[in-house]
Amino acid sequence: MPKKIIDPRVRQGKLNRNDDIRKYFAKYYNAGYRYEVIEEKIILKWGVSANTIYQIIKGYGNYKEHAPPQAKQLNLFENDEYL
């Protein structure tokens, strides 16, 4: 279990790193590179593990993007009128 980061400068630095990794991945993926090739480049550049890269790209666990909350999703049977 990772330790909680108390220093806000370190937390912001890791968020910046994660954003850079996402942008780097998107740039090369959209250029037609395979996932394995991009993963190797990221490991060599930032020194993070393959599992960490996967979690950063997919936004799991401690690597979630800090996006605004989603709007309420509309359902077909919102008021249960047709059930």
Side-chain angles (χ1 to χ4, degrees):
M1 187 80 175
K3 294 181 181 180
K4 183 176 180 180
I5 301 172
I6 296 174
D7 190 355
R9 298 172 295 178
V10 174
R11 182 180 301 119
Q12 187 61 43
K14 287 192 175 192
L15 289 174
N16 292 340
R17 177 201 69 185
N18 295 349
D19 290 340
D20 290 344
I21 289 174
R22 285 186 193 100
K23 289 175 187 173
Y24 189 86
F25 182 86
K27 174 184 167 186
Y28 282 100
Y29 191 77
N30 292 333
Y33 285 79
R34 291 183 329 198
Y35 181 87
E36 294 81 13
V37 174
I38 303 169
E39 183 180 78
E40 184 69 23
K41 289 182 175 213
I42 292 173
I43 290 171
L44 293 173
K45 186 170 183 172
W46 281 283
V48 294
S49 70
N51 188 31
T52 302
I53 293 169
Y54 181 78
Q55 290 182 11
I56 290 171
I57 301 298
K58 296 297 182 179
Y60 293 139
N62 295 327
Y63 302 102
K64 290 181 181 177
E65 289 188 64
H66 298 285
Q70 298 282 336
K72 183 181 176 194
Q73 183 178 358
L74 297 176
N75 295 329
L76 180 61
F77 303 110
E78 182 79 30
N79 299 326
D80 296 328
E81 296 174 12
Y82 303 105
L83 294 178

